[in-house]
């Protein structure tokens, strides 16, 4: 698929969502897997925008890539905000508590990391790379 | 599909109908409706969600905001939630704090 470059702005979430849904469709993911992948990318993209850019007054682009291989669909988000590895964020511990008593943080990263088959992160050439991998169903 | 969010107030019950895709970009619209309902001091919040095709964690945070703004004793009903959206609600434990129903009839 083509490479998508969008500004690190919440208005870009829609375009990224559509791109991921299209990639999932081309890769033949079922509806639930496609939804989980779209959610994962959307949550990490939201964090890149809010914490990597808006909060620190940084403007920049996010590059979205999709690669369909025999067994997998991989989506990669690349940005030049300060390094942040989502895997280092502690899992929420109070998921069973009533809402009014909960500390509502970290849910997006939690959903992202739980929702995909593999998640990877690397920081290369001053660039964050968030890598999402889903297995494709066996082709008939 | 574009996100829409409409509020109606019937006595002490707020109805909010959600449709389309709820991500972080549009969540402030949902939050504004919740604030409007909270200002009317409702005792129950009913969310009609059968047309809501997608919900990110920003939507969940809006719900937590509703509980905190309206008080823990305000019941939140979720009506007709689609399976994929329901999975997110369950994974994050929010199903313990709301009442999920297939259909809603004001009794």
């Amino acid at each position: 698929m083509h490479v998508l470059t969008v500004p690190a702005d919440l208005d870009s979430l829609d375009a990224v969502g559509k791109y991921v849904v299209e990639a999932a469709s081309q890769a033949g993911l079922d509806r639930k897997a496609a939804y989980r992948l779209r959610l994962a990318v959307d949550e990490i993209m939201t964090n890149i925008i809010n914490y990597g850019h808006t909060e620190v007054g940084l403007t920049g682009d996010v590059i979205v890539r999709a690669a369909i291989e025999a067994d997998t669909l991989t989506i990669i988000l690349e940005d030049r905000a300060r390094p942040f590895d989502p895997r280092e964020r502690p899992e929420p511990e109070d998921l069973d508590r009533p809402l009014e008593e909960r500390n509502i943080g970290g849910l997006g990263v939690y959903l992202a990391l739980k929702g995909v088959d593999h998640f990877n992160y690397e920081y290369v050439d001053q660039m964050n790379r968030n890598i999402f991998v889903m297995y494709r169903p066996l082709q008939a | 599909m574009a996100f829409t969010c409409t509020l109606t107030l019937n006595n002490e019950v707020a109805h909010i109908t959600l449709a389309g895709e709820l991500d972080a970009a549009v969540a402030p619209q949902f939050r504004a409706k919740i604030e409007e309902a909270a200002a009317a001091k409702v005792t129950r919040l009913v969310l009609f969600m059968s047309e809501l095709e997608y919900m990110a964690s920003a939507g969940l945070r809006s719900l937590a905001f509703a509980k905190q703004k309206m008080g823990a004793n305000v019941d939140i009903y979720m009506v007709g939630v689609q399976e994929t959206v329901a999975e997110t609600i369950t994974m994050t434990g929010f199903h313990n704090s709301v009442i999920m129903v297939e259909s809603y009839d004001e009794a």
Side-chain angles (χ1 to χ4, degrees):
Chain A
M1 273 181 70
H2 68 283
V3 173
L4 178 71
T5 302
V6 291
D9 185 288
L10 289 178
D11 288 339
S12 299
L13 290 177
D14 193 47
V16 175
K18 285 189 168 73
Y19 179 89
V20 174
V21 167
E22 172 58 28
S25 163
Q26 285 190 20
L29 296 195
D30 68 34
R31 205 171 66 89
K32 280 191 167 186
Y35 187 96
R36 285 200 295 266
L37 175 62
R38 189 259 170 106
L39 179 64
V41 175
D42 188 50
E43 296 292 354
I44 298 297
M45 179 76 185
T46 299
N47 279 5
I48 291 170
I49 295 163
N50 284 339
Y51 305 126
H53 292 82
T54 309
E55 268 192 13
V56 294
L58 181 71
T59 55
D61 287 338
V62 179
I63 298 166
V64 192
R65 301 176 191 277
I68 300 173
E69 279 159 57
D71 301 328
T72 57
L73 165 62
T74 303
I75 302 282
I76 303 177
L77 296 180
E78 295 174 347
D79 70 87
R80 295 191 174 277
R82 68 181 192 280
F84 176 72
D85 184 347
R87 296 171 303 182
E88 286 173 7
R89 201 175 198 309
E91 274 193 19
E93 285 173 359
D94 49 3
L95 294 178
D96 295 329
R97 310 258 317 259
L99 280 189
E100 57 278 10
E101 296 172 14
R102 283 172 58 167
N103 171 21
I104 305 294
L107 288 179
V109 169
Y110 172 75
L111 287 168
L113 271 53
K114 290 276 178 197
V116 291
D117 291 327
H118 286 289
F119 177 83
N120 209 347
Y121 167 86
E122 53 193 35
Y123 189 72
V124 186
D125 297 334
Q126 276 133 36
M127 194 156 62
N128 291 292
R129 298 183 88 225
N130 287 278
I131 303 163
F132 309 79
V133 182
M134 298 296 279
Y135 291 119
R136 300 176 65 192
L138 294 174
Q139 306 299 305
Chain B
M1 199 176 97
F3 177 68
T4 60
C5 175
T6 53
L7 167 71
T8 55
L9 292 165
N10 310 319
N11 298 318
E12 295 189 320
V13 181
H15 289 187
I16 297 180
T17 303
L18 301 167
E21 304 190 335
L22 172 47
D23 63 18
V26 296
Q29 296 175 35
F30 181 30
R31 201 173 272 233
K33 297 295 180 196
I34 289 169
E35 285 194 333
E36 214 178 304
K41 303 212 183 314
V42 297
T43 57
R44 182 184 289 185
L45 173 62
V46 186
L47 303 170
F48 293 91
M49 296 173 63
S50 64
E51 302 294 316
L52 187 72
E53 291 157 3
Y54 175 79
M55 183 173 73
S57 66
L60 295 174
R61 277 193 295 279
S62 302
L63 287 175
F65 171 77
K67 268 285 188 199
Q68 283 155 5
K69 197 97 184 166
M70 295 176 173
N73 50 353
V74 170
D75 287 329
I76 299 180
Y77 286 75
M78 288 186 168
V79 187
V81 181
Q82 293 190 14
E83 195 183 359
T84 41
V85 175
E87 190 178 276
T88 303
I89 293 166
T90 307
M91 266 179 76
T92 50
F94 275 54
H95 61 299
N96 295 318
S97 295
V98 300
I99 302 160
M100 296 179 75
V101 292
E102 283 297 312
S103 61
Y104 179 82
D105 192 9
E106 203 124 291

